[in-house]
Amino acid sequence: MNFEKYPFEKLNELLENIEPNKDFEASVLTIGEPKFETPDFIQRQLASTTSLLQKYPASAGLPELKEAMINFVVNRFNVPLNMNQIIPTFGTREVLFNFPQFALFDKKDPVIAFTNPFYQIYEGAAIASRAEVIHINLTKENNFKAFLSDEELKKCDLVILNYPNNPTSAEMTKEELAVWVKKALEFDFILVNDECYSEIYFDEKDRPSSLLEASIQAGNEKFKNILVMNSISKRSSAPGLRSGFIAGDEEILKEYMKYRTYIGCASPLPLQKAATVAWNESTHVEKFRKTYKRNFELAKEILGINPPKATFYIWLEVDDELEFTKKLYKEKNIKVLPGSFLGREGMGKGYVRIALVENEKKTQEVLKRLKGFLDG
């Protein structure tokens, strides 16, 4: 298999011969990893359950963990699920990689479509599945919203959307997602939405919708052909817990669960116990949202940008994203990620992705440094 280098490896190569300005503290704004302490109540639960390391975890996950995830979905999206409509996963990276291989295995000439620019695991899954790829190109002209023609959709076996979107921070409304649900039924393809940023929003009226909500609105209450994936990593500042889920079409998940028993990625029981209390609690999430909101208020004050409604990314338009990245690192000791490293067919060119995942004080300092660079 011939995989592309990961964006961060490309970035290291781009910057390897550049000496950054040592007058400034190094600031890394490249990776979507929250830089906040995982809440104490989650850490305490993890520490108190280490004796369970003596047991093998079941691939299906603890019943109480599944119940906590179901509670999250019903409380957040008002969508009730049964125990057969959700599977706990070891984060979402692994399921985003292996689910396409499962879903496309029996297809003679499989075709997968996904948003472009993208989280590179989508492309990796396509390569591992030997699938033809159709890129759903996201541009300023289409407001970074996903669209494919009926002719393209007829070819698809699997489509992966990602809203709220990484890296563009774009959203799609429930009504817009419902159109996709109807297309999935009409052309009989599996439709997935990667919803890992659904909980990083800044106003109740702008709460991102789930594809599950859209499925119900479209009259597809059994979620036929519809799946979502979500994770605790951004929501609870706990990427190390590796707690995610896939939920939706019960018939697909029944067969996928059989597949999962073979791939050996069951989460250790102490992690599942800690994840259970995290999924069941929401006040800590609101505290993180307030911090991210303040970071974007600072970005508006200092840089004059319009904050997104969700995610913690700035998708900043620049003249030449590679030269911008190199010069910013050299002059201000700030690392950002060139958008072209996240896309294909020219998508992402002319943009850099900036992750605002630090506390208010650090964010304010680095944004002022960035402003000084932009003002030249």
Side-chain angles (χ1 to χ4, degrees), residues 68 92-93 112 134 163 181 184 240 242 256 259 267 306 309 315 317 334 339 354 358 361:
T92 52
R93 183 171 177 169
I112 183 173
I134 297 176
Y163 289 93
V181 172
R242 310 311 305 136
Y256 178 56
Y259 169 85
S267 176
N306 290 319
K309 294 180 179 179
W315 190 233
E317 190 169 9
I334 298 173
I354 300 171
E358 295 277 11
K361 182 179 179 181

Side-chain angles (χ1 to χ4, degrees), residues 152-171:
E152 291 170 310
L153 291 172
K154 287 176 184 176
K155 301 176 184 178
C156 292
D157 298 298
L158 173 64
V159 174
I160 301 177
L161 304 180
N162 170 218
Y163 289 93
N165 184 255
N166 168 25
T168 71
S169 294
E171 283 191 83

Side-chain angles (χ1 to χ4, degrees), residues 270-319:
L271 296 185
Q272 291 192 54
K273 290 286 189 178
T276 297
V277 300
W279 283 110
N280 270 328
E281 212 279 337
S282 61
T283 57
H284 72 287
V285 187
E286 180 59 31
K287 292 178 182 178
F288 291 133
R289 274 197 288 268
K290 288 179 179 177
T291 299
Y292 292 127
K293 181 177 182 178
R294 178 57 184 152
N295 285 350
F296 277 104
E297 288 172 348
L298 288 169
K300 184 175 183 179
E301 293 169 13
I302 297 168
L303 301 181
I305 67 157
N306 290 319
K309 294 180 179 179
T311 83
F312 42 54
Y313 296 120
I314 296 174
W315 190 233
L316 184 67
E317 190 169 9
V318 297
D319 289 333

Side-chain angles (χ1 to χ4, degrees), residues 189-331:
F189 60 81
I190 297 173
L191 178 63
V192 173
N193 194 27
D194 174 2
E195 300 182 354
C196 285
Y197 292 90
S198 70
E199 303 315 290
I200 310 301
Y201 59 88
F202 314 117
D203 195 309
E204 285 298 307
K205 66 178 175 59
D206 294 326
R207 292 201 311 176
S209 295
S210 172
L211 186 64
L212 297 178
E213 294 177 274
S215 185
I216 292 172
Q217 179 161 312
N220 185 19
E221 296 184 357
K222 296 289 187 181
F223 310 118
K224 177 177 170 54
N225 290 359
I226 303 302
L227 295 163
V228 303
M229 300 174 190
N230 212 324
S231 165
I232 212 165
S233 299
K234 325 298 183 187
R235 175 186 184 269
S236 298
S237 191
L241 271 184
R242 310 311 305 136
S243 179
F245 64 75
I246 181 171
D249 188 319
E250 186 173 341
E251 294 304 313
I252 295 173
L253 293 181
K254 179 181 178 182
E255 296 305 311
Y256 178 56
M257 189 61 242
K258 293 179 186 177
Y259 169 85
R260 288 188 65 81
T261 61
Y262 287 88
I263 59 178
C265 54
S267 176
L269 292 175
L271 296 185
Q272 291 192 54
K273 290 286 189 178
T276 297
V277 300
W279 283 110
N280 270 328
E281 212 279 337
S282 61
T283 57
H284 72 287
V285 187
E286 180 59 31
K287 292 178 182 178
F288 291 133
R289 274 197 288 268
K290 288 179 179 177
T291 299
Y292 292 127
K293 181 177 182 178
R294 178 57 184 152
N295 285 350
F296 277 104
E297 288 172 348
L298 288 169
K300 184 175 183 179
E301 293 169 13
I302 297 168
L303 301 181
I305 67 157
N306 290 319
K309 294 180 179 179
T311 83
F312 42 54
Y313 296 120
I314 296 174
W315 190 233
L316 184 67
E317 190 169 9
V318 297
D319 289 333
D320 181 324
E321 77 283 0
L322 300 180
E323 289 304 313
F324 180 96
T325 299
K326 291 190 290 185
K327 191 175 179 182
L328 178 63
Y329 180 58
K330 181 178 181 179
E331 295 184 10

Side-chain angles (χ1 to χ4, degrees), residues 88-99 256 260 263 265:
T89 60
F90 199 60
T92 52
R93 183 171 177 169
E94 59 96 344
V95 65
L96 283 164
F97 185 66
N98 66 52
F99 178 80
Y256 178 56
R260 288 188 65 81
I263 59 178
C265 54

